Amino acid sequence: MLTLPNLLTLSRIVAVPLLAWFLWWPGWAEGYAAGFVLYCLMGITDYFDGYLARANGTVSKLGVFLDPIADKIMVAAVILLLVGTRDGNPAVIQGVHQIAALIILLREITVSGLREFLAQLQVSVPVSRLAKWKTTLQMVSLGALILGGAVPLYPWVAHVGLVTLWGAAVLTVITGWDYLRVGLKHMD
């Protein structure tokens, strides 16, 4: 059960508090730099846990359960910390950009609940190609925002993060609706 892919997934969950600690101090550019490196490592483990599990034929129920949870915990922690930042750091999600962040968080909660409901009915909802693009854009966005906190003299980095955050929010609505449409077919 504790295969290498599952250990990689668990390492992402365990790393979230450390990532949160790095991002807790908005004026600490070095902390944001360390947070960016950790965030990138977490993204790399996200890729390799699934790749290794499929390549080695070690896909497990534990991995299938933990992988999306690890992703959601990481995304939610980063979004909440960047929304809560208020000291002039360019790597923040404020004002109208909080709507994009809220859309992403609400979709994650809704799709998780929907998947749980459908699992009870033994209905599988595969991840679509568009949902994978949404996840990629979301990860790039949050990475750019974290990096923006590490390099405050280059505010364009954070602006790239905000633009891609909106792109991820648009794809979030589209893919969320796709999942909901499938789910509604199985509700009385």
Side-chain angles (χ1 to χ4, degrees):
M1 197 173 254
L2 285 182
T3 62
L4 179 58
N6 288 346
L7 289 172
L8 290 173
T9 301
L10 286 169
S11 75
R12 286 203 324 275
I13 294 170
V14 171
V16 168
L18 181 60
L19 178 62
W21 187 79
F22 285 136
L23 303 181
W24 188 264
W25 316 102
W28 185 33
E30 295 82 7
Y32 270 70
F36 178 72
V37 170
L38 180 59
Y39 181 82
C40 289
L41 289 172
M42 293 167 80
I44 290 167
T45 64
D46 185 25
Y47 171 77
F48 277 110
D49 64 9
Y51 173 79
L52 291 172
R54 287 186 297 277
N56 296 330
T58 58
V59 174
S60 68
K61 290 179 183 177
L62 179 63
V64 170
F65 169 72
L66 285 179
D67 186 64
I69 290 173
D71 295 342
K72 287 168 183 32
I73 289 171
M74 181 177 70
V75 167
V78 171
I79 287 175
L80 288 173
L81 286 160
L82 295 179
V83 165
T85 302
R86 295 277 189 254
D87 77 337
N89 186 332
V92 296
I93 302 172
Q94 291 183 8
V96 70
H97 303 297
Q98 291 175 335
I99 294 170
L102 186 60
I103 288 169
I104 290 169
L105 289 175
L106 292 176
R107 184 261 192 203
E108 296 301 335
I109 294 167
T110 302
V111 169
S112 292
L114 183 61
R115 283 184 180 276
E116 184 177 332
F117 170 76
L118 292 174
Q120 293 173 359
L121 302 176
Q122 297 181 338
V123 174
S124 174
V125 184
V127 176
S128 69
R129 184 177 303 259
L130 191 59
K132 290 182 180 190
W133 278 104
K134 183 267 320 171
T135 300
T136 300
L137 200 57
Q138 181 177 283
M139 295 302 185
V140 167
S141 168
L142 297 179
L145 287 167
I146 294 169
L147 182 59
V151 292
L153 296 177
Y154 301 99
W156 64 268
V157 175
H159 292 299
V160 167
L162 292 173
V163 169
T164 54
L165 183 73
W166 278 101
V170 168
L171 292 180
T172 292
V173 170
I174 294 167
T175 59
W177 174 248
D178 289 344
Y179 286 126
L180 188 58
R181 203 176 60 229
V182 168
L184 289 173
K185 293 178 183 177
H186 298 281
M187 295 179 192
D188 292 328

